[in-house]
Amino acid sequence: MTTRILTALTIVFAMTACNTVSGIGKDIRSAGSAIERAAQ
């Protein structure tokens, strides 16, 4: 039973981390695009 709870928590944290990393990637892409436009 404890193993199932720990597994479920691990999956939830992993999914949250994926969303965070995805958001950071989008922010970095937006910043790169803004810098590119400013350089032109």
Side-chain angles (χ1 to χ4, degrees):
M1 177 119 169
T2 303
T3 305
R4 285 187 179 185
I5 293 172
L6 289 175
T7 303
L9 287 174
T10 301
I11 291 170
V12 169
F13 286 131
M15 290 172 62
T16 303
C18 290
N19 289 334
T20 302
V21 171
S22 175
I24 290 171
K26 289 177 184 177
D27 290 342
I28 291 172
R29 188 177 336 138
S30 296
S33 296
I35 291 170
E36 191 174 313
R37 283 192 305 267
Q40 292 177 353

